Amino acid sequence: MWALLTLYQLLRRTMVQAAESQPGTDPDRCGFTIALQTARDLLVGADGIFEQGIGEIGRRLLSALSPARRARISTRKVKSPISRYAERKLDGRPDTSKAVTSTTITLLPPPVPEPALPTTTVPQYVGPGQTSTRMTRVLAILQEEPERLWRSREIAELLGDVTLVATYRQLTRWTEKGMIKRVRTGRYAAITQETAPLRDLRKG
């Protein structure tokens, strides 16, 4: 892998040097495939290895330059009328061609780092017939916002004394016992008690 990356950088450097030998030539006009095939031919034939200047690779690149690229000043839009992405939302980009004369770069502050979870879990000893304090706290957290889909990391951060791996195991165990429900992968919610309809009570 390192050899391939080294060869790639060497060919790109040769392409830039060949373009710089002709002032005003954009290195984008040099074809990478031409440089690679020429380097392969030189390696097989062992010819022109110690040649000075731009060498055979540079000469072949300059003899087959691609046309100059047009400046991209038009907005990117899907032109297919049957595509469901044909209508673009209002995102501030122009709907018609507009020459780019300046660029504004906005630096955003980094996000607040998430608190580090403990490296070890504080053991909790539960006697026969008792309920785990940690489980009681989790049930209280979920029942406060029954419509919210809690992530495992959020629950672990609220507990504060348990690792993320231990939280995964405990949530899985409580889900199997029917104390909480897993809505989808990594998302948990409280089990809401549904009230039976009045007609069912009369039948009973």
Side-chain angles (χ1 to χ4, degrees):
M1 180 60 70
W2 287 111
L4 292 176
L5 292 175
T6 302
L7 176 61
Y8 176 82
Q9 295 297 333
L10 289 175
L11 291 178
R12 286 296 182 184
R13 184 174 180 179
T14 303
M15 294 166 61
V16 173
Q17 292 176 349
E20 290 177 346
S21 65
Q22 290 187 359
T25 302
D26 194 336
D28 288 342
R29 299 179 58 187
C30 298
F32 181 79
T33 303
I34 297 177
L36 178 61
Q37 292 176 350
T38 306
R40 185 181 301 164
D41 295 341
L42 294 177
L43 180 62
V44 174
D47 184 23
I49 299 178
F50 299 102
E51 187 175 357
Q52 300 296 326
I54 61 176
E56 181 65 20
I57 298 178
R59 287 193 292 271
R60 292 193 187 181
L61 288 172
L62 296 178
S63 64
L65 290 175
S66 301
R69 293 186 177 183
R70 297 181 302 168
R72 294 181 176 176
I73 58 176
S74 299
T75 179
R76 293 180 179 269
K77 297 183 65 175
V78 179
K79 297 182 180 180
S80 177
I82 61 176
S83 174
R84 60 177 177 174
Y85 302 106
E87 296 296 332
R88 182 170 53 83
K89 297 181 179 179
L90 297 177
D91 54 4
R93 292 182 296 172
D95 292 330
T96 58
S97 299
K98 182 179 180 181
V100 178
T101 58
S102 63
T103 303
T104 303
I105 301 177
T106 304
L107 299 179
L108 301 177
V112 179
E114 297 182 351
L117 296 177
T119 56
T120 58
T121 300
V122 178
Q124 291 188 350
Y125 301 97
V126 182
Q130 296 182 356
T131 304
S132 171
T133 305
R134 186 175 296 137
M135 182 175 61
T136 305
R137 294 169 59 189
V138 171
L139 292 177
I141 291 173
L142 298 182
Q143 290 173 359
E144 286 181 359
E145 300 182 45
E147 302 298 331
R148 179 175 176 179
L149 304 182
W150 290 82
R151 295 187 303 172
S152 303
R153 184 177 182 86
E154 295 174 342
I155 298 176
E157 292 174 354
L158 290 175
L159 293 176
D161 60 346
V162 62
T163 62
L164 187 58
V165 176
T167 304
Y168 286 143
R169 292 198 299 263
Q170 293 177 346
L171 292 176
T172 302
R173 184 166 59 251
W174 298 336
T175 302
E176 293 174 351
K177 292 182 179 180
M179 307 185 68
I180 61 176
K181 62 180 179 180
R182 184 174 65 179
V183 182
R184 59 175 183 266
T185 304
R187 296 281 183 160
Y188 297 87
I191 296 180
T192 57
Q193 300 293 335
E194 297 182 357
T195 304
L198 183 58
R199 59 177 179 272
D200 295 340
L201 296 177
R202 292 176 179 176
K203 291 180 180 179

